Amino acid sequence: MKIERLELRLLRLPLVHFFETSFGRIDDKHFIVIRADGEGASGYGECVAEQDPYYSAETNETVWHIVEDFIAPRVVGATFAHPRDVFPALAAIRGHHMAKAAVEMAAWDLFARLGGMPLCRAIGGARGRIVSGVSIGIQPSLDALAAKVEHELAAGYRRIKIKIKPGWDLAPVEFLRARFGAIPLMVDANAAYTLADAVHLAALDAFGLMMIEQPLDYDDIADHAALQRMLKTPICLDESIKSVHAARDAITAGACRIINIKPGRVGGLGPSIAVHDLCAAHQVPVWHGGMLESGIGRAANIHLSTLPNFSLPGDVAASKRYFDPDLIDPPIEVAADGTIAVPTGSGLGVSIRADRLERATLRRLVIDTSTR
Ligand code: OSB
Ligand code: MG
């Protein structure tokens, strides 16, 4: 597969509802979409970097710079036998996994389209449907939270995750247990605590949560291992799993019992498959995280979730929770049983609306063999 051209677009799409985590609130999503052309076909990759370096060190501007100045020169005009070869070909560039993942994902989509197969088949996945959960941001009140949870349970979602932070943790969990009983419930702290909060966090053990996601620092493993020894509730790591090596170190240290996989954080679908397989070999279940993706990134997440060790409901939900309209038509939908059908067309298997992509575009750059 020869990649002849890359097109970068910085987009702005308004979110249906604001999303608030322990590091802030966003009303609009600003993100980069990359199109890779070659051999008469195109593939798309969505970048999960945000405007601010709060979830991760990368931002849209660092991604643009790294793709334009360092990734494109190694990819445009290059031939790859398989998309899993893209991430290793970028090894000279340290870090910048979200930038690499966006280009790598476009290469996977291109490869699957050229082969006339759905992306899940190229990945090696086998399921026709995936099980969906929701992530609910920090709400202005307990009543607002109850209304959200009720709405999502009625929609069929098979797991509720709420964001927590100091001052919004035990009370909402206790409230939800009293109100909704034994629903599949978990919390995500986005690194808002320290080991000094261990006794406070251990109070969550009384509520039978499926897991607590990333309670401590974004790049920590050792303190999570110490905390896991003090908690009954399983720890799931998100931010700290920056690479296949970090996953190995976390498992070895006993820092978590569950791992959240986000391709953007580990460098793409190839490294995600490696994390998935490593976790499977250690009986560590995984689930697919979300970064408020448009239908392009969402479709890729669905395809990856067809691998067998994705054994817990992920943060891969319906388009309409995020964007209306989405960039794809039809949007991703969740059935009444809380499952999503895996697209069956070639590549991502979704149709991207060129008019909506164009309308959302703030900046565009084309890199081909003549511009280099
Ligand atoms: O920590 O999982 C997270 C969104 C943006 C950044 C980080 C996270 C999230 C979510 C939303 O939890 C998941 C989704 O619905 O896409
Ligand atoms: Mg998280």
Side-chain angles (χ1 to χ4, degrees):
M1 166 182 66
K2 184 172 181 194
I3 297 179
E4 289 148 11
R5 177 180 179 275
L6 288 182
E7 179 197 70
L8 285 68
R9 286 174 188 263
L10 175 64
L11 310 178
R12 187 191 75 88
L13 267 192
L15 282 165
V16 171
H17 299 291
F18 70 84
F19 193 76
E20 185 172 331
T21 63
S22 60
F23 40 71
R25 167 174 169 163
I26 60 164
D27 293 280
D28 298 299
K29 182 97 204 274
H30 289 76
F31 61 104
I32 291 170
V33 164
I34 292 180
R35 173 174 147 181
D37 296 332
E39 299 173 20
S42 311
Y44 284 86
E46 177 167 339
C47 185
V48 298
E50 301 174 302
Q51 244 178 329
D52 305 309
Y54 301 156
Y55 169 82
S56 98
E58 291 183 82
T59 68
N60 290 324
E61 296 306 323
T62 71
V63 168
W64 194 279
H65 162 56
I66 293 294
V67 174
E68 179 176 7
D69 295 331
F70 295 98
I71 297 178
R74 289 170 169 83
V75 163
V76 176
T79 298
F80 297 94
H82 193 275
R84 77 169 77 84
D85 300 335
V86 173
F87 181 73
L90 304 175
I93 305 163
R94 298 287 186 246
H96 297 285
H97 283 175
M98 293 177 174
K100 292 176 182 178
V103 175
E104 195 246 22
M105 185 191 297
W108 277 92
D109 183 26
L110 177 61
F111 174 82
R113 279 178 204 253
L114 287 170
M117 64 181 132
L119 180 57
C120 58
R121 197 186 310 156
I123 288 170
R127 318 184 158 127
R129 306 190 73 86
I130 65 154
V131 179
S132 184
V134 284
S135 173
I136 298 178
I138 290 166
Q139 298 298 310
S141 67
L142 292 173
D143 284 343
L145 177 64
K148 287 261 178 198
V149 171
E150 197 163 342
H151 179 79
E152 304 301 9
L153 290 173
Y157 287 104
R158 302 262 284 267
R159 172 278 258 156
I160 301 288
K161 153 171 149 183
I162 64 162
K163 295 288 186 177
I164 59 167
K165 63 176 183 181
W168 178 268
D169 47 25
L170 292 170
V173 169
E174 188 174 7
F175 169 80
L176 291 180
R177 277 287 180 246
R179 180 88 168 238
F180 297 99
I183 57 169
L185 182 66
M186 61 171 286
V187 295
D188 184 0
N190 287 111
Y193 298 89
T194 70
L195 200 51
D197 300 309
V199 171
H200 180 72
L201 292 171
L204 288 170
D205 280 343
F207 299 101
L209 300 175
M210 298 169 76
M211 68 196 90
I212 172 167
E213 184 179 348
Q214 194 72 35
L216 309 181
D217 216 353
Y218 77 99
D219 61 351
D220 170 78
I221 287 177
D223 281 359
H224 279 104
L227 181 65
Q228 182 67 89
R229 288 193 288 273
M230 294 183 249
L231 295 186
K232 277 196 284 189
T233 309
I235 291 176
C236 169
L237 289 178
D238 173 356
E239 282 88 330
S240 292
I241 307 299
K242 293 181 206 314
S243 63
V244 183
H245 285 154
R248 181 200 60 194
D249 293 348
I251 293 169
T252 304
C256 60
R257 297 192 195 134
I258 300 169
I259 283 180
N260 162 337
I261 293 182
K262 291 179 181 172
R265 202 183 55 225
V266 296
L269 294 171
S272 296
I273 295 166
V275 174
H276 166 276
D277 293 352
L278 175 83
C279 289
H282 290 85
Q283 290 89 45
V284 172
V286 303
W287 53 275
H288 205 301
M291 293 290 287
L292 315 176
E293 287 92 343
S294 82
I296 297 172
R298 192 165 299 282
N301 295 350
I302 293 168
H303 286 285
L304 181 61
S305 302
T306 61
L307 291 175
N309 194 36
F310 281 92
S311 48
L312 292 161
D315 280 347
V316 183
S319 290
K320 68 173 184 207
R321 293 191 72 237
Y322 308 89
F323 306 107
D324 189 17
D326 200 337
L327 294 176
I328 60 164
D329 201 17
I332 305 289
E333 280 175 354
V334 169
D337 69 349
T339 64
I340 298 177
V342 180
T344 53
S346 43
L348 292 172
V350 293
S351 41
I352 298 162
R353 284 278 300 257
D355 55 336
R356 294 181 191 162
L357 196 62
E358 191 57 38
R359 208 172 325 124
T361 299
L362 301 174
R363 196 195 303 162
R364 181 173 170 271
L365 174 70
V366 171
I367 304 165
D368 60 24
T369 40
S370 71
T371 50
R372 291 195 31 239

